[in-house]
Amino acid sequence: MGSPVNRDDIARLATDFYSLLESFKQTPFYHLIFEIFLILTVLWLVCFRKPRPIAKKLTEKEKQELIDEWQPEPLVPPVDTNHPALNVRVLDGIVGKTIEIDGRKSLNFATFNFLNFVGNQRIADKAIQAVQKYGVGSCGPRGFYGTIDIHLELEERLARFFNFEEGIIYSYGFSTIASIIPAYSKRNDILFVDEGIHYAIQKGVEASRSTVKWFRHNDINDLERLLAEQDKHDKKNPKKASTIRRFLIIEGLYMNYGDICPLPRMVELKYKYKYRIFMDESVSFGTIGQTGRGVTEYHNVDRQKIDLISSTLEYSVGSIGGFAVGSSFVIDHQRLSAQGYCFSASLPPLLAAAAIEALNIMDEENSGLFETLMDKSKRLHKKLLDIKGYRVLGEDISPLKHLSLANSLNTIGRLEYIVEFAQTRGITITIARYLNDEHHLPEPSIRLILNVEMTDEELEFLCTVLQEALVKVTA
Amino acid sequence: MLAAPSKPCHVTIVHRHPPSKLYSEEEMVDNICSSSSDEDIKSTNHNTEIEYKHDDENLQSEEFEETPLYAAILTYLSYAILCLFGWLRDFLRDSHIEKKRGALDPNATLGFVPLYQSYESFYTRNMYTRVRDIFNRPIASVPGAQFELTERISDDYNWTYRYTGKTINAINLGSYNYLGFAEKSGPCATDAINAIKTFGVGNCNSRIELGTQRYHVELERLLADFLHVESSIAFGMGFATNALNLPALASKGDLILSDEMNHVSLILGMRLSGATYQTFAHNDMKDLEKKLRAAIVHGHPRTNRPWKKIIIVVEGVYSMEGSICRLPELMQLKKKYKAYLYMDEAHSIGAMGKQGRGIVDYFGVDANEVDILMGTFTKSFGSAGGYIAGKKSLIDHIRVTSHANTYASSMSAPLVQQIMSSLKLLKCPEGKRRICQLADNTRYFRQKLVDMGFIVFGNKNSPVVPMLIYMPARVTRFNREMLRRGVAVVTVGFPATKLLDARVRFCISAAHTRQMLDTALMAIDEVGTDISLRYSTRHKSRRLREL
């Protein structure tokens, strides 16, 4: 076969190769090193060098220029002088069934004074006795000689009132639930929250940094949907799911809407999906139920199934502060981890004394306070519904109702006109005020609050005035 | 009840008119009643003017001695031993050799995720519970200079207590009562009682809706006058004042530079505001300047957008360190870099300065130069609540956007009346006597402690006196021994302070007499010798009788 490569070619190649080698031997040593170095450099540049980022190095002069040029915004933006916060009505005297504004008395349907304890003589006397024994302030947080024996008494009374093991009190109603939620729920946990909760609870939820799942207000089906979704998610990763705590955050009686939560079904779901229930009963404590023990009494649910009930001493009790009750296992944790408890001064003793006396009054067997209140609420509800033209939100037994105008007529301006008109006729009512960064801003409305000592005539008078106002505002 | 000082405090009395005696208590009640105007008070009282004398060149002298090496080693060793024992006990409890104490979860057997992780409550179970009796001690009287502690005994190593019904009388070095306004009788208490009779206890509504009473407006006006600023706003809780109003001032896109020792309420407020926050080393102005420069030059760390505004947050007197913020340097930095300053004067209002107006008074700075002044009424005024003061535009903005103004209940009448009475009292000779007495007590107490050879942190003039103990067992022993000698103190350890720096913190009050301080010093001397607390290498260790 005629192979193009024959012996001569091979011989020639070999000779060439041999001469190449000879030339290597003859070149100076440094030349070889230089050539090898160049080849290696090329190899490294091609294969290994990463593009280096260009370092931003400013000179001192440039930095100073930047500092001189920078102009901050003004500390606060300009504020509208007509904002309601800057034009409040200033009161004088005891804010009880009647209020005095600018020297004129009017009936009070605006403050959360459900049981008319503000100005109660017995409570005032006990508060005075407390000042004569303990002074005014408590001068320290609970951990450092701020625990006064009257605090321990109040905690025990509250726990006994609700038939729970332990209670804990806070010095401010807003901070109560806002400190409780972050004490239990941390970054990895899940909170199922009703959309209609009020602002303090929203702040607690925000401060906890947990995953939040909002469900539509009082919509148990929406909650079930969310729970089922989470359950499906959990089944994919059961090991991780066993470290995630779940909580349901609801209110007993919603302050923004006046309706009651569907508690029995929520308790059923608790045992199915394994979450703990934290219920805020600020409005329903002392107002709902035969003996004022709240929504658990109203729905006839076993109270021990609720993990924690928090409430405030600022509404029906007529003092200042907040509290939480539950089993010792749950409540005791707050004594070291709730920020509003550990790092804040304790409740002034006179306020605790006032709260204890209010509890005494509530505990009296034959007071019939709560039945009267629920009864009057029902009657007021009926009367309000009779005035055609108002939308009345809230349960019929709830002493807190939201009043708004029908559909497109419902503006803040019109509601403010109604409030002013009512004031001239001797009725004090108020619009429910919210901040703009509420999670679910409710519709504008007038918040009507019923005082247990209001007579039928006064309720009639209220409805008459509201009727007149309606006529004027829709004209 | 005000105890007369046994030794006159260092005052230089400048006589304008022939000297007259200080007013007696009955005349004080006549002068300070809620209906008299400020002009009446000024015209009747100022026959003598008391000048406040202190070392002007040493306003910022602070000392933070380093931890001695052997103390550090022993402290770490102590915690290691405690941990070992903790694990041993946990093991014994889990294997049912020892009975489990403490409450049990009602939902434990039903398949719920445990409410607390085991390692989270390790500290509570094994370390805190052993020494629980030194915290949360209930009292049964007014928290004045001397008080009654309810006696409680534990039969099972602090898991449960029983109350014997007796009380222990002790000198109070733990409550925040700087000017001695924690009183159950006297003009302030009488005014508070009258307020309860006139206004009741609660108001049941927020300020914006129908909770503003005339006395709230009056309080805010008085407070603004006292602080020499345009306007102020008051809230019902000091903690909430920080946590709920910082979000109104800062928002996303702002930068907050906060001191590393700032209080929890400030940190919560910063978190809730949504702004970015960075910490600078405690009272270190060079570090702050470096961070300010870096912030303005580079902007947001990731997007490089310039910050909308920068707020520096500091405290007047730091409650765990006893140090005072460096206000003159802060003012310089603030002006140079166009930042805003938020000063939390919880512990310094009333307690520092010639007229008790806080750190601005102490350094002689114009109060209007600090953008946002915040303070509380709990410590020096014997009441409860907090305030923010500054320009009218700032306060109006806070009224409109504050969470507390819109949703939280307004302040109760007797608390407001107590603040107003104490503010008026501070303008009278009696008030000035108290401020002077506090300064004198502070200097005396601190000097004696330092001379004895203990390590004391903080500024020479701050009424918060932290003394270092380091080891956890010594901390507990000190507390219990002091109580046995009739002195109630506050000891703090990890996690409120750094792991190594467990300490006892004394709070001096104007109501303390020289005799009470001497009793306390003798007790500290004895106990300090007993458990070897004289760590200081800068000062010679001496016994009290040698001083």
Side-chain angles (χ1 to χ4, degrees), chain A residues 68 70 73 91-93 110 137 139 143 145 147 149 175 207 245 274 276 307 314 329 344 435 438 447, chain B residues 107 110 112-113 115-116 136-137 139 176 205 209 212-214 237 271 307-308 338 340 382 407 409 489:
Chain A
D68 291 333
W70 181 71
E73 276 182 7
L91 316 172
D92 269 317
C139 297
Y145 305 109
T147 306
D149 48 8
S175 300
R245 294 173 280 235
K274 313 278 188 249
R276 294 174 204 260
D307 295 274
E314 291 170 2
F329 177 76
S344 166
L435 283 175
E438 284 248 4
R447 191 193 296 124
Chain B
N107 290 324
L110 298 168
F112 281 73
V113 176
L115 194 52
Y116 318 118
N136 294 307
R137 288 199 176 119
I139 67 177
Y176 303 133
N205 215 336
E209 288 180 4
T212 304
Q213 291 251 19
R214 206 162 291 283
M237 185 194 193
R271 263 201 19 226
W307 296 109
K308 289 199 289 186
K338 294 170 265 188
Y340 299 108
Y407 293 103
S409 286
V489 297

Side-chain angles (χ1 to χ4, degrees), chain A residues 153-217:
Chain A
E153 194 189 327
L154 178 59
E155 285 178 356
E156 205 226 333
R157 286 298 304 279
L158 286 165
R160 214 175 343 134
F161 186 82
F162 282 96
N163 204 17
F164 271 121
E165 280 177 7
E166 201 171 324
I168 182 172
I169 52 180
Y170 288 78
S171 50
Y172 208 44
F174 191 103
S175 300
T176 310
I177 191 66
S179 303
I180 289 177
I181 298 179
Y184 296 98
S185 182
K186 311 283 181 194
R187 218 181 264 271
N188 288 331
D189 303 326
I190 300 184
L191 294 171
F192 296 99
V193 190
D194 186 302
E195 268 180 352
I197 51 165
H198 72 263
Y199 199 74
I201 314 183
Q202 288 174 33
K203 285 296 127 186
V205 162
E206 209 181 296
S208 71
R209 295 195 266 205
S210 314
T211 321
V212 184
K213 298 200 189 290
W214 300 92
F215 62 92
R216 271 195 300 275
H217 174 58

Side-chain angles (χ1 to χ4, degrees), chain B residues 5 31 43 63 102 130 204 296 314 452 457 466 488 491 500 525 542:
Chain B
N31 287 338
S43 61
E63 213 179 81
R130 308 174 84 124
C204 298
I296 301 178
V314 290
M452 283 201 268
F457 274 4
T491 46
L500 274 184
D525 179 46
R542 281 180 289 185

Side-chain angles (χ1 to χ4, degrees), chain A residues 46 109 125 182 276 285 304 312 370 404 416 439 466 470:
Chain A
V46 166
F109 284 97
D125 285 341
R276 294 174 204 260
F285 166 54
Q304 309 300 324
T312 178
F370 310 107
S404 53
E416 276 179 354
H439 180 261
L466 285 173
L470 181 67

Side-chain angles (χ1 to χ4, degrees), chain B residues 488-547:
Chain B
V489 297
V490 161
T491 46
V492 271
F494 182 77
T497 59
K498 297 199 189 111
L499 186 68
L500 274 184
D501 296 337
R503 65 195 65 181
V504 56
R505 185 191 65 181
F506 302 108
C507 287
I508 308 297
S509 160
H512 286 134
T513 59
R514 190 51 71 93
Q515 205 183 356
M516 288 180 203
L517 291 179
D518 283 334
T519 318
L521 283 165
M522 274 194 296
I524 296 171
D525 179 46
E526 263 180 59
V527 180
T529 313
D530 199 17
I531 52 182
S532 317
L533 292 179
R534 288 178 164 80
Y535 296 107
S536 178
T537 48
R538 293 184 196 172
H539 306 274
K540 222 169 74 125
S541 306
R542 281 180 289 185
R543 295 299 304 261
L544 187 62
R545 55 171 181 266
E546 296 164 24
L547 292 174

Side-chain angles (χ1 to χ4, degrees), chain A residues 5-58:
Chain A
V5 181
N6 50 23
R7 280 188 64 122
D8 285 331
D9 285 327
I10 294 173
R12 216 176 320 130
L13 273 171
T15 328
D16 285 341
F17 190 59
Y18 185 68
S19 60
L20 194 64
L21 279 175
E22 285 296 319
S23 70
F24 267 134
K25 275 200 232 161
Q26 277 163 17
T27 55
F29 186 64
Y30 64 85
H31 194 79
L32 266 177
I33 298 293
F34 185 62
E35 295 282 352
I36 295 174
F37 177 67
L38 268 180
I39 295 171
L40 285 174
T41 311
V42 170
L43 268 173
W44 175 74
L45 274 174
V46 166
C47 301
F48 294 120
R49 201 187 113 169
K50 289 191 180 52
R52 241 184 295 160
I54 306 165
K56 205 159 73 165
K57 270 287 212 190
L58 299 167

Side-chain angles (χ1 to χ4, degrees), chain B residues 196-212:
Chain B
I196 298 178
K197 290 183 185 150
T198 322
F199 295 102
V201 167
N203 280 319
C204 298
N205 215 336
S206 61
R207 288 289 298 270
I208 193 177
E209 288 180 4
L210 227 72
T212 304

